[in-house]
Amino acid sequence: GSHLRALKQHGSSRFASTSVVKQSSGGLFGWLLGGKPTQFPTLDVPLPGITIPPPLPDFVEPAKSPAATVGLYIDCGSMYETPGSSGASHLLERMSFKSTTNRSHLRLVREVESIGGNVSAIATREQMCYTYDAFRAYVPDMVEVLIDSVRNPTFLDWEVKEQLEEIKAEIAEFSANPQGLLLEALHSAGYTGALANPLIAPEPAIHKLDSSILKEFIAENYTAPRMVLAASGVEHDVLVSIAEPLLSDLPAVKRPEEPKSVYVGGDYRCQADCQNTHVALAFEVPGGWYEEKTAITVTVLQKLMGGGDWFCTGGVGKGLYSRLSLRILS
C-alpha cells in the first residue's frame, strides 16, 4: 500500500521495475517480502526459542487406515533418453496401465474399478512412478496388477497411435499456456547434458516414436538395481511375500552410470500470444535430493516462501500467510 501511495503522489509518472526496487532499502527480495531487512532475521539465522524435534525413527508404525498404497519407482526418466528415444518417458506415462500380455486394457480398468481402486503414473526427468491405491484387503491384487502393467506391456500399435495423438493435443494446449512450459524452459536454460533433455515429447520425436522404441527403452532401463517397490498401510513381510515371486526373475544387471549433467545457468525467453507474463527464477542446489540435509532445508524454505500445498478460499490471497504470497498475490 505504501508503494502504491508513493507512486500515486507522482501523478502519471511511471517507473521501470529497477526504479521501484531502488526505493526499497531491502532490495528486490525485501520489496517482494514486504519490509526492510532489519524488521526480520534473515532465513539463515536460527530463531530464538525454537527446539528442533528429534529425527524420525527408522521404523514408523503403519497407519491404521483401511486403505493401502503401493508404488513401483524406477530410476529412469527423460534424462536417460537418447536422440533416438527422445519423448519415450512422456509416451510411457500415457501408455501406463494399458494392455499387457496377461490382460486387455478394458479388463485392467474393470479390475481396478471393481475394488474401488485408483492407479496413476508420473514421468519425471529422473524417475518413472507407478502407484495403486485401494483397500488394504486387496493388496495382493494391487501388487500383481501394478507389476504386470510395468513389466509386461504389449504396446499395441493402435494404443500407441492413440496416445501419440493425445500428446499432440497436449502440446497444442501448452502452446496456449506459457506457464506450463516454465519448468521446461528452466531446465533447457540451466543445464547442458541429460537434465536438459525435454520431459515433454518434442514434436519431431512424435513422428518417430513407436512400440519398438518403447520396448527397447524399457529393456535397457527397467532393471532390478533401478527399481524400488514401496507401500503404505502394508506390513513389510506381507509385501515381500507377495512381490518376491513376481519380481525375483528380474535380471540383476550392473547399474549403468548416471548420464552427466552440467549446470551452466542462462536465460530463456519465449514470445507468446498471451496477455500475461510468466517469469521463473531458479538456482542450482548442489547435490539435489541426494543430499538429505540440503533437501530438507530447501523444503522448509519452500514452505516459508509460500510454496507447496496451499489453499485459497474467500477471494484471492485468503488463507495464504507467507509475506511473499500476501505481498504479490493479494
Side-chain angles (χ1 to χ4, degrees), residues 127-170:
Q127 286 97 29
M128 295 292 298
C129 313
Y130 301 84
T131 58
Y132 195 157
D133 305 293
F135 286 111
R136 188 186 305 176
Y138 298 108
V139 165
D141 298 326
M142 295 162 61
V143 174
E144 194 276 326
V145 168
L146 187 68
I147 294 176
D148 183 39
S149 298
V150 174
R151 292 198 61 187
N152 307 310
T154 54
F155 298 130
L156 299 176
D157 286 339
W158 70 268
E159 288 184 337
V160 173
K161 290 178 181 177
E162 183 179 69
Q163 293 309 309
L164 285 173
E165 291 300 317
E166 292 288 339
I167 289 178
K168 290 179 183 178
E170 188 179 340

mmCIF file of all heavy atoms in Angstrom, residues 127-170:
data_model
loop_
_atom_site.group_PDB
_atom_site.id
_atom_site.type_symbol
_atom_site.label_atom_id
_atom_site.label_comp_id
_atom_site.label_asym_id
_atom_site.label_seq_id
_atom_site.Cartn_x
_atom_site.Cartn_y
_atom_site.Cartn_z
ATOM 1 N N GLN A 127 12.809 -40.103 -12.600
ATOM 2 C CA GLN A 127 12.085 -41.303 -12.180
ATOM 3 C C GLN A 127 10.823 -41.535 -13.009
ATOM 4 O O GLN A 127 10.246 -40.594 -13.547
ATOM 5 C CB GLN A 127 11.660 -41.203 -10.705
ATOM 6 C CG GLN A 127 12.772 -41.388 -9.700
ATOM 7 C CD GLN A 127 13.329 -40.072 -9.227
ATOM 8 O OE1 GLN A 127 12.621 -39.072 -9.204
ATOM 9 N NE2 GLN A 127 14.591 -40.066 -8.843
ATOM 10 N N MET A 128 10.439 -42.814 -13.046
ATOM 11 C CA MET A 128 9.109 -43.202 -13.503
ATOM 12 C C MET A 128 8.396 -43.769 -12.287
ATOM 13 O O MET A 128 8.943 -44.624 -11.587
ATOM 14 C CB MET A 128 9.188 -44.261 -14.606
ATOM 15 C CG MET A 128 9.842 -43.780 -15.904
ATOM 16 S SD MET A 128 8.878 -42.533 -16.797
ATOM 17 C CE MET A 128 7.385 -43.456 -17.171
ATOM 18 N N CYS A 129 7.189 -43.270 -12.014
ATOM 19 C CA CYS A 129 6.476 -43.639 -10.795
ATOM 20 C C CYS A 129 5.106 -44.216 -11.149
ATOM 21 O O CYS A 129 4.322 -43.565 -11.842
ATOM 22 C CB CYS A 129 6.286 -42.418 -9.887
ATOM 23 S SG CYS A 129 7.785 -41.435 -9.656
ATOM 24 N N TYR A 130 4.833 -45.425 -10.651
ATOM 25 C CA TYR A 130 3.545 -46.085 -10.868
ATOM 26 C C TYR A 130 2.936 -46.380 -9.492
ATOM 27 O O TYR A 130 3.598 -47.010 -8.641
ATOM 28 C CB TYR A 130 3.727 -47.396 -11.634
ATOM 29 C CG TYR A 130 4.376 -47.248 -12.994
ATOM 30 C CD1 TYR A 130 5.764 -47.200 -13.124
ATOM 31 C CD2 TYR A 130 3.608 -47.168 -14.155
ATOM 32 C CE1 TYR A 130 6.367 -47.070 -14.370
ATOM 33 C CE2 TYR A 130 4.202 -47.045 -15.408
ATOM 34 C CZ TYR A 130 5.582 -46.989 -15.507
ATOM 35 O OH TYR A 130 6.182 -46.866 -16.741
ATOM 36 N N THR A 131 1.682 -45.979 -9.255
ATOM 37 C CA THR A 131 1.069 -46.196 -7.948
ATOM 38 C C THR A 131 -0.342 -46.767 -8.087
ATOM 39 O O THR A 131 -1.007 -46.587 -9.104
ATOM 40 C CB THR A 131 0.991 -44.883 -7.144
ATOM 41 O OG1 THR A 131 0.245 -43.908 -7.883
ATOM 42 C CG2 THR A 131 2.380 -44.335 -6.866
ATOM 43 N N TYR A 132 -0.764 -47.449 -7.013
ATOM 44 C CA TYR A 132 -2.079 -48.076 -6.958
ATOM 45 C C TYR A 132 -2.618 -47.869 -5.541
ATOM 46 O O TYR A 132 -1.962 -48.243 -4.567
ATOM 47 C CB TYR A 132 -1.950 -49.564 -7.290
ATOM 48 C CG TYR A 132 -3.243 -50.289 -7.625
ATOM 49 C CD1 TYR A 132 -3.221 -51.461 -8.375
ATOM 50 C CD2 TYR A 132 -4.482 -49.837 -7.182
ATOM 51 C CE1 TYR A 132 -4.386 -52.153 -8.696
ATOM 52 C CE2 TYR A 132 -5.655 -50.511 -7.496
ATOM 53 C CZ TYR A 132 -5.601 -51.665 -8.244
ATOM 54 O OH TYR A 132 -6.764 -52.348 -8.546
ATOM 55 N N ASP A 133 -3.802 -47.274 -5.419
ATOM 56 C CA ASP A 133 -4.454 -47.059 -4.131
ATOM 57 C C ASP A 133 -5.745 -47.870 -4.080
ATOM 58 O O ASP A 133 -6.535 -47.842 -5.028
ATOM 59 C CB ASP A 133 -4.808 -45.576 -3.924
ATOM 60 C CG ASP A 133 -3.607 -44.670 -4.085
ATOM 61 O OD1 ASP A 133 -2.703 -44.761 -3.245
ATOM 62 O OD2 ASP A 133 -3.575 -43.873 -5.036
ATOM 63 N N ALA A 134 -5.976 -48.544 -2.962
ATOM 64 C CA ALA A 134 -7.231 -49.295 -2.768
ATOM 65 C C ALA A 134 -7.292 -49.735 -1.306
ATOM 66 O O ALA A 134 -6.421 -49.393 -0.498
ATOM 67 C CB ALA A 134 -7.306 -50.490 -3.712
ATOM 68 N N PHE A 135 -8.334 -50.524 -0.958
ATOM 69 C CA PHE A 135 -8.437 -51.041 0.397
ATOM 70 C C PHE A 135 -7.358 -52.087 0.647
ATOM 71 O O PHE A 135 -6.962 -52.836 -0.257
ATOM 72 C CB PHE A 135 -9.823 -51.639 0.631
ATOM 73 C CG PHE A 135 -10.902 -50.611 0.775
ATOM 74 C CD1 PHE A 135 -11.870 -50.453 -0.196
ATOM 75 C CD2 PHE A 135 -10.941 -49.779 1.895
ATOM 76 C CE1 PHE A 135 -12.871 -49.503 -0.067
ATOM 77 C CE2 PHE A 135 -11.931 -48.821 2.034
ATOM 78 C CZ PHE A 135 -12.893 -48.680 1.053
ATOM 79 N N ARG A 136 -6.910 -52.134 1.887
ATOM 80 C CA ARG A 136 -5.791 -52.996 2.257
ATOM 81 C C ARG A 136 -6.064 -54.466 1.958
ATOM 82 O O ARG A 136 -5.145 -55.228 1.633
ATOM 83 C CB ARG A 136 -5.494 -52.809 3.747
ATOM 84 C CG ARG A 136 -4.229 -53.514 4.217
ATOM 85 C CD ARG A 136 -4.071 -53.400 5.720
ATOM 86 N NE ARG A 136 -4.102 -52.007 6.156
ATOM 87 C CZ ARG A 136 -4.058 -51.633 7.434
ATOM 88 N NH1 ARG A 136 -4.036 -52.559 8.370
ATOM 89 N NH2 ARG A 136 -4.073 -50.351 7.762
ATOM 90 N N ALA A 137 -7.295 -54.891 2.025
ATOM 91 C CA ALA A 137 -7.626 -56.291 1.786
ATOM 92 C C ALA A 137 -7.262 -56.740 0.377
ATOM 93 O O ALA A 137 -7.112 -57.941 0.119
ATOM 94 C CB ALA A 137 -9.120 -56.521 2.038
ATOM 95 N N TYR A 138 -7.114 -55.780 -0.544
ATOM 96 C CA TYR A 138 -6.853 -56.130 -1.941
ATOM 97 C C TYR A 138 -5.377 -55.970 -2.328
ATOM 98 O O TYR A 138 -5.051 -55.955 -3.516
ATOM 99 C CB TYR A 138 -7.706 -55.255 -2.864
ATOM 100 C CG TYR A 138 -9.190 -55.440 -2.683
ATOM 101 C CD1 TYR A 138 -9.952 -54.450 -2.070
ATOM 102 C CD2 TYR A 138 -9.830 -56.597 -3.106
ATOM 103 C CE1 TYR A 138 -11.326 -54.610 -1.902
ATOM 104 C CE2 TYR A 138 -11.190 -56.767 -2.943
ATOM 105 C CZ TYR A 138 -11.939 -55.771 -2.324
ATOM 106 O OH TYR A 138 -13.284 -55.937 -2.153
ATOM 107 N N VAL A 139 -4.492 -55.883 -1.347
ATOM 108 C CA VAL A 139 -3.078 -55.663 -1.646
ATOM 109 C C VAL A 139 -2.504 -56.713 -2.605
ATOM 110 O O VAL A 139 -1.767 -56.364 -3.537
ATOM 111 C CB VAL A 139 -2.252 -55.584 -0.345
ATOM 112 C CG1 VAL A 139 -0.752 -55.737 -0.632
ATOM 113 C CG2 VAL A 139 -2.498 -54.247 0.341
ATOM 114 N N PRO A 140 -2.774 -58.007 -2.446
ATOM 115 C CA PRO A 140 -2.227 -58.978 -3.414
ATOM 116 C C PRO A 140 -2.632 -58.669 -4.857
ATOM 117 O O PRO A 140 -1.808 -58.753 -5.776
ATOM 118 C CB PRO A 140 -2.804 -60.318 -2.936
ATOM 119 C CG PRO A 140 -3.043 -60.115 -1.474
ATOM 120 C CD PRO A 140 -3.490 -58.691 -1.347
ATOM 121 N N ASP A 141 -3.911 -58.319 -5.060
ATOM 122 C CA ASP A 141 -4.366 -57.963 -6.408
ATOM 123 C C ASP A 141 -3.679 -56.683 -6.893
ATOM 124 O O ASP A 141 -3.306 -56.573 -8.066
ATOM 125 C CB ASP A 141 -5.881 -57.762 -6.416
ATOM 126 C CG ASP A 141 -6.634 -59.019 -6.028
ATOM 127 O OD1 ASP A 141 -6.152 -60.114 -6.369
ATOM 128 O OD2 ASP A 141 -7.687 -58.903 -5.371
ATOM 129 N N MET A 142 -3.526 -55.714 -5.993
ATOM 130 C CA MET A 142 -2.904 -54.443 -6.362
ATOM 131 C C MET A 142 -1.465 -54.648 -6.840
ATOM 132 O O MET A 142 -1.049 -54.117 -7.877
ATOM 133 C CB MET A 142 -2.929 -53.477 -5.164
ATOM 134 C CG MET A 142 -4.322 -53.058 -4.724
ATOM 135 S SD MET A 142 -4.343 -52.379 -3.046
ATOM 136 C CE MET A 142 -3.266 -50.953 -3.221
ATOM 137 N N VAL A 143 -0.703 -55.421 -6.071
ATOM 138 C CA VAL A 143 0.702 -55.651 -6.419
ATOM 139 C C VAL A 143 0.810 -56.384 -7.748
ATOM 140 O O VAL A 143 1.653 -56.032 -8.610
ATOM 141 C CB VAL A 143 1.409 -56.447 -5.298
ATOM 142 C CG1 VAL A 143 2.837 -56.820 -5.718
ATOM 143 C CG2 VAL A 143 1.434 -55.632 -4.011
ATOM 144 N N GLU A 144 -0.038 -57.382 -7.953
ATOM 145 C CA GLU A 144 0.034 -58.159 -9.202
ATOM 146 C C GLU A 144 -0.285 -57.299 -10.416
ATOM 147 O O GLU A 144 0.423 -57.349 -11.434
ATOM 148 C CB GLU A 144 -0.933 -59.345 -9.109
ATOM 149 C CG GLU A 144 -0.717 -60.406 -10.188
ATOM 150 C CD GLU A 144 -1.431 -60.068 -11.487
ATOM 151 O OE1 GLU A 144 -2.526 -59.475 -11.418
ATOM 152 O OE2 GLU A 144 -0.885 -60.385 -12.562
ATOM 153 N N VAL A 145 -1.335 -56.490 -10.330
ATOM 154 C CA VAL A 145 -1.709 -55.623 -11.450
ATOM 155 C C VAL A 145 -0.631 -54.581 -11.703
ATOM 156 O O VAL A 145 -0.266 -54.295 -12.862
ATOM 157 C CB VAL A 145 -3.072 -54.942 -11.170
ATOM 158 C CG1 VAL A 145 -3.335 -53.830 -12.185
ATOM 159 C CG2 VAL A 145 -4.201 -55.970 -11.217
ATOM 160 N N LEU A 146 -0.104 -54.019 -10.631
ATOM 161 C CA LEU A 146 0.929 -52.987 -10.769
ATOM 162 C C LEU A 146 2.160 -53.538 -11.471
ATOM 163 O O LEU A 146 2.669 -52.948 -12.437
ATOM 164 C CB LEU A 146 1.291 -52.460 -9.379
ATOM 165 C CG LEU A 146 2.242 -51.268 -9.311
ATOM 166 C CD1 LEU A 146 1.589 -50.012 -9.852
ATOM 167 C CD2 LEU A 146 2.701 -51.031 -7.875
ATOM 168 N N ILE A 147 2.647 -54.678 -11.020
ATOM 169 C CA ILE A 147 3.856 -55.258 -11.606
ATOM 170 C C ILE A 147 3.594 -55.746 -13.020
ATOM 171 O O ILE A 147 4.444 -55.595 -13.917
ATOM 172 C CB ILE A 147 4.387 -56.388 -10.707
ATOM 173 C CG1 ILE A 147 4.873 -55.798 -9.369
ATOM 174 C CG2 ILE A 147 5.527 -57.144 -11.395
ATOM 175 C CD1 ILE A 147 5.326 -56.828 -8.361
ATOM 176 N N ASP A 148 2.422 -56.325 -13.259
ATOM 177 C CA ASP A 148 2.083 -56.770 -14.613
ATOM 178 C C ASP A 148 2.080 -55.589 -15.591
ATOM 179 O O ASP A 148 2.583 -55.699 -16.715
ATOM 180 C CB ASP A 148 0.719 -57.453 -14.606
ATOM 181 C CG ASP A 148 0.332 -58.009 -15.966
ATOM 182 O OD1 ASP A 148 1.209 -58.543 -16.669
ATOM 183 O OD2 ASP A 148 -0.858 -57.896 -16.328
ATOM 184 N N SER A 149 1.536 -54.469 -15.159
ATOM 185 C CA SER A 149 1.451 -53.293 -16.027
ATOM 186 C C SER A 149 2.828 -52.730 -16.360
ATOM 187 O O SER A 149 3.055 -52.235 -17.472
ATOM 188 C CB SER A 149 0.596 -52.212 -15.359
ATOM 189 O OG SER A 149 -0.718 -52.664 -15.144
ATOM 190 N N VAL A 150 3.748 -52.814 -15.402
ATOM 191 C CA VAL A 150 5.085 -52.256 -15.619
ATOM 192 C C VAL A 150 5.978 -53.216 -16.381
ATOM 193 O O VAL A 150 6.734 -52.813 -17.270
ATOM 194 C CB VAL A 150 5.729 -51.879 -14.264
ATOM 195 C CG1 VAL A 150 7.177 -51.437 -14.461
ATOM 196 C CG2 VAL A 150 4.925 -50.770 -13.588
ATOM 197 N N ARG A 151 5.871 -54.502 -16.084
ATOM 198 C CA ARG A 151 6.794 -55.476 -16.667
ATOM 199 C C ARG A 151 6.328 -56.062 -17.989
ATOM 200 O O ARG A 151 7.159 -56.471 -18.808
ATOM 201 C CB ARG A 151 7.039 -56.618 -15.675
ATOM 202 C CG ARG A 151 7.806 -56.231 -14.429
ATOM 203 C CD ARG A 151 8.372 -57.479 -13.757
ATOM 204 N NE ARG A 151 9.301 -58.181 -14.642
ATOM 205 C CZ ARG A 151 9.831 -59.372 -14.364
ATOM 206 N NH1 ARG A 151 9.490 -60.002 -13.240
ATOM 207 N NH2 ARG A 151 10.668 -59.952 -15.204
ATOM 208 N N ASN A 152 5.004 -56.125 -18.219
ATOM 209 C CA ASN A 152 4.505 -56.872 -19.373
ATOM 210 C C ASN A 152 3.628 -56.059 -20.322
ATOM 211 O O ASN A 152 2.631 -56.591 -20.833
ATOM 212 C CB ASN A 152 3.718 -58.097 -18.880
ATOM 213 C CG ASN A 152 4.507 -58.954 -17.918
ATOM 214 O OD1 ASN A 152 5.649 -59.323 -18.187
ATOM 215 N ND2 ASN A 152 3.902 -59.257 -16.778
ATOM 216 N N PRO A 153 3.950 -54.810 -20.606
ATOM 217 C CA PRO A 153 3.103 -54.070 -21.543
ATOM 218 C C PRO A 153 3.276 -54.612 -22.959
ATOM 219 O O PRO A 153 4.363 -55.047 -23.347
ATOM 220 C CB PRO A 153 3.642 -52.636 -21.432
ATOM 221 C CG PRO A 153 5.076 -52.803 -21.040
ATOM 222 C CD PRO A 153 5.112 -54.006 -20.148
ATOM 223 N N THR A 154 2.187 -54.606 -23.724
ATOM 224 C CA THR A 154 2.263 -55.096 -25.103
ATOM 225 C C THR A 154 2.491 -53.971 -26.108
ATOM 226 O O THR A 154 2.963 -54.218 -27.216
ATOM 227 C CB THR A 154 0.970 -55.833 -25.484
ATOM 228 O OG1 THR A 154 -0.143 -54.972 -25.242
ATOM 229 C CG2 THR A 154 0.811 -57.102 -24.672
ATOM 230 N N PHE A 155 2.134 -52.750 -25.730
ATOM 231 C CA PHE A 155 2.274 -51.588 -26.623
ATOM 232 C C PHE A 155 1.632 -51.867 -27.991
ATOM 233 O O PHE A 155 2.294 -51.858 -29.035
ATOM 234 C CB PHE A 155 3.745 -51.206 -26.801
ATOM 235 C CG PHE A 155 4.428 -50.804 -25.528
ATOM 236 C CD1 PHE A 155 5.646 -51.369 -25.157
ATOM 237 C CD2 PHE A 155 3.853 -49.854 -24.691
ATOM 238 C CE1 PHE A 155 6.273 -50.997 -23.982
ATOM 239 C CE2 PHE A 155 4.478 -49.479 -23.507
ATOM 240 C CZ PHE A 155 5.686 -50.051 -23.146
ATOM 241 N N LEU A 156 0.351 -52.174 -27.960
ATOM 242 C CA LEU A 156 -0.385 -52.393 -29.207
ATOM 243 C C LEU A 156 -0.295 -51.149 -30.077
ATOM 244 O O LEU A 156 -0.386 -50.018 -29.592
ATOM 245 C CB LEU A 156 -1.850 -52.710 -28.895
ATOM 246 C CG LEU A 156 -2.105 -53.964 -28.052
ATOM 247 C CD1 LEU A 156 -3.588 -54.096 -27.738
ATOM 248 C CD2 LEU A 156 -1.587 -55.203 -28.766
ATOM 249 N N ASP A 157 -0.122 -51.354 -31.378
ATOM 250 C CA ASP A 157 0.104 -50.224 -32.279
ATOM 251 C C ASP A 157 -1.022 -49.199 -32.208
ATOM 252 O O ASP A 157 -0.773 -47.991 -32.188
ATOM 253 C CB ASP A 157 0.256 -50.737 -33.719
ATOM 254 C CG ASP A 157 1.601 -51.424 -33.938
ATOM 255 O OD1 ASP A 157 2.526 -51.154 -33.143
ATOM 256 O OD2 ASP A 157 1.713 -52.224 -34.882
ATOM 257 N N TRP A 158 -2.265 -49.668 -32.134
ATOM 258 C CA TRP A 158 -3.381 -48.720 -32.128
ATOM 259 C C TRP A 158 -3.437 -47.925 -30.826
ATOM 260 O O TRP A 158 -3.813 -46.750 -30.823
ATOM 261 C CB TRP A 158 -4.700 -49.446 -32.392
ATOM 262 C CG TRP A 158 -5.182 -50.343 -31.293
ATOM 263 C CD1 TRP A 158 -4.926 -51.671 -31.155
ATOM 264 C CD2 TRP A 158 -5.999 -49.969 -30.189
ATOM 265 N NE1 TRP A 158 -5.528 -52.165 -30.026
ATOM 266 C CE2 TRP A 158 -6.213 -51.141 -29.416
ATOM 267 C CE3 TRP A 158 -6.590 -48.790 -29.787
ATOM 268 C CZ2 TRP A 158 -6.975 -51.145 -28.240
ATOM 269 C CZ3 TRP A 158 -7.359 -48.785 -28.625
ATOM 270 C CH2 TRP A 158 -7.544 -49.937 -27.874
ATOM 271 N N GLU A 159 -3.017 -48.562 -29.727
ATOM 272 C CA GLU A 159 -2.979 -47.826 -28.454
ATOM 273 C C GLU A 159 -1.865 -46.779 -28.459
ATOM 274 O O GLU A 159 -2.041 -45.662 -27.952
ATOM 275 C CB GLU A 159 -2.779 -48.796 -27.288
ATOM 276 C CG GLU A 159 -4.002 -49.643 -26.980
ATOM 277 C CD GLU A 159 -3.812 -50.523 -25.760
ATOM 278 O OE1 GLU A 159 -2.642 -50.827 -25.407
ATOM 279 O OE2 GLU A 159 -4.823 -50.920 -25.162
ATOM 280 N N VAL A 160 -0.720 -47.137 -29.046
ATOM 281 C CA VAL A 160 0.390 -46.180 -29.133
ATOM 282 C C VAL A 160 -0.001 -44.989 -29.995
ATOM 283 O O VAL A 160 0.223 -43.824 -29.628
ATOM 284 C CB VAL A 160 1.656 -46.866 -29.699
ATOM 285 C CG1 VAL A 160 2.751 -45.838 -29.959
ATOM 286 C CG2 VAL A 160 2.157 -47.945 -28.742
ATOM 287 N N LYS A 161 -0.607 -45.258 -31.159
ATOM 288 C CA LYS A 161 -1.015 -44.169 -32.053
ATOM 289 C C LYS A 161 -2.054 -43.267 -31.384
ATOM 290 O O LYS A 161 -2.025 -42.043 -31.545
ATOM 291 C CB LYS A 161 -1.572 -44.747 -33.354
ATOM 292 C CG LYS A 161 -0.510 -45.410 -34.237
ATOM 293 C CD LYS A 161 -1.128 -46.018 -35.487
ATOM 294 C CE LYS A 161 -0.066 -46.690 -36.351
ATOM 295 N NZ LYS A 161 -0.662 -47.350 -37.550
ATOM 296 N N GLU A 162 -2.958 -43.866 -30.639
ATOM 297 C CA GLU A 162 -3.985 -43.096 -29.939
ATOM 298 C C GLU A 162 -3.353 -42.151 -28.928
ATOM 299 O O GLU A 162 -3.736 -40.971 -28.837
ATOM 300 C CB GLU A 162 -4.937 -44.068 -29.238
ATOM 301 C CG GLU A 162 -6.107 -43.386 -28.538
ATOM 302 C CD GLU A 162 -7.036 -44.387 -27.890
ATOM 303 O OE1 GLU A 162 -6.617 -45.025 -26.886
ATOM 304 O OE2 GLU A 162 -8.160 -44.565 -28.389
ATOM 305 N N GLN A 163 -2.371 -42.635 -28.192
ATOM 306 C CA GLN A 163 -1.725 -41.791 -27.181
ATOM 307 C C GLN A 163 -0.815 -40.741 -27.812
ATOM 308 O O GLN A 163 -0.647 -39.642 -27.267
ATOM 309 C CB GLN A 163 -0.933 -42.659 -26.204
ATOM 310 C CG GLN A 163 -1.804 -43.550 -25.339
ATOM 311 C CD GLN A 163 -2.912 -42.773 -24.651
ATOM 312 O OE1 GLN A 163 -2.674 -41.742 -24.013
ATOM 313 N NE2 GLN A 163 -4.142 -43.271 -24.765
ATOM 314 N N LEU A 164 -0.232 -41.035 -28.954
ATOM 315 C CA LEU A 164 0.558 -40.025 -29.662
ATOM 316 C C LEU A 164 -0.328 -38.862 -30.108
ATOM 317 O O LEU A 164 0.087 -37.691 -30.064
ATOM 318 C CB LEU A 164 1.269 -40.656 -30.862
ATOM 319 C CG LEU A 164 2.478 -41.539 -30.527
ATOM 320 C CD1 LEU A 164 2.984 -42.248 -31.783
ATOM 321 C CD2 LEU A 164 3.608 -40.706 -29.914
ATOM 322 N N GLU A 165 -1.537 -39.171 -30.524
ATOM 323 C CA GLU A 165 -2.483 -38.108 -30.878
ATOM 324 C C GLU A 165 -2.841 -37.275 -29.653
ATOM 325 O O GLU A 165 -2.982 -36.053 -29.734
ATOM 326 C CB GLU A 165 -3.746 -38.706 -31.506
ATOM 327 C CG GLU A 165 -3.536 -39.312 -32.879
ATOM 328 C CD GLU A 165 -3.024 -38.297 -33.888
ATOM 329 O OE1 GLU A 165 -3.541 -37.151 -33.889
ATOM 330 O OE2 GLU A 165 -2.112 -38.646 -34.651
ATOM 331 N N GLU A 166 -2.985 -37.949 -28.508
ATOM 332 C CA GLU A 166 -3.272 -37.235 -27.264
ATOM 333 C C GLU A 166 -2.112 -36.309 -26.901
ATOM 334 O O GLU A 166 -2.314 -35.191 -26.404
ATOM 335 C CB GLU A 166 -3.517 -38.230 -26.127
ATOM 336 C CG GLU A 166 -4.785 -39.056 -26.273
ATOM 337 C CD GLU A 166 -6.040 -38.224 -26.026
ATOM 338 O OE1 GLU A 166 -5.946 -37.165 -25.381
ATOM 339 O OE2 GLU A 166 -7.120 -38.642 -26.505
ATOM 340 N N ILE A 167 -0.887 -36.759 -27.130
ATOM 341 C CA ILE A 167 0.290 -35.931 -26.826
ATOM 342 C C ILE A 167 0.323 -34.702 -27.728
ATOM 343 O O ILE A 167 0.655 -33.599 -27.295
ATOM 344 C CB ILE A 167 1.586 -36.755 -26.970
ATOM 345 C CG1 ILE A 167 1.692 -37.768 -25.828
ATOM 346 C CG2 ILE A 167 2.813 -35.854 -26.991
ATOM 347 C CD1 ILE A 167 2.903 -38.669 -25.899
ATOM 348 N N LYS A 168 -0.041 -34.891 -29.000
ATOM 349 C CA LYS A 168 -0.098 -33.738 -29.914
ATOM 350 C C LYS A 168 -1.069 -32.689 -29.403
ATOM 351 O O LYS A 168 -0.778 -31.481 -29.416
ATOM 352 C CB LYS A 168 -0.514 -34.203 -31.313
ATOM 353 C CG LYS A 168 0.528 -35.013 -32.053
ATOM 354 C CD LYS A 168 0.007 -35.438 -33.423
ATOM 355 C CE LYS A 168 1.007 -36.311 -34.153
ATOM 356 N NZ LYS A 168 0.487 -36.773 -35.470
ATOM 357 N N ALA A 169 -2.230 -33.139 -28.943
ATOM 358 C CA ALA A 169 -3.222 -32.208 -28.397
ATOM 359 C C ALA A 169 -2.702 -31.550 -27.128
ATOM 360 O O ALA A 169 -2.930 -30.358 -26.882
ATOM 361 C CB ALA A 169 -4.528 -32.951 -28.116
ATOM 362 N N GLU A 170 -1.978 -32.321 -26.332
ATOM 363 C CA GLU A 170 -1.410 -31.788 -25.086
ATOM 364 C C GLU A 170 -0.387 -30.689 -25.387
ATOM 365 O O GLU A 170 -0.362 -29.654 -24.723
ATOM 366 C CB GLU A 170 -0.744 -32.935 -24.320
ATOM 367 C CG GLU A 170 -0.286 -32.577 -22.921
ATOM 368 C CD GLU A 170 0.334 -33.776 -22.215
ATOM 369 O OE1 GLU A 170 0.073 -34.929 -22.624
ATOM 370 O OE2 GLU A 170 1.072 -33.562 -21.241
#
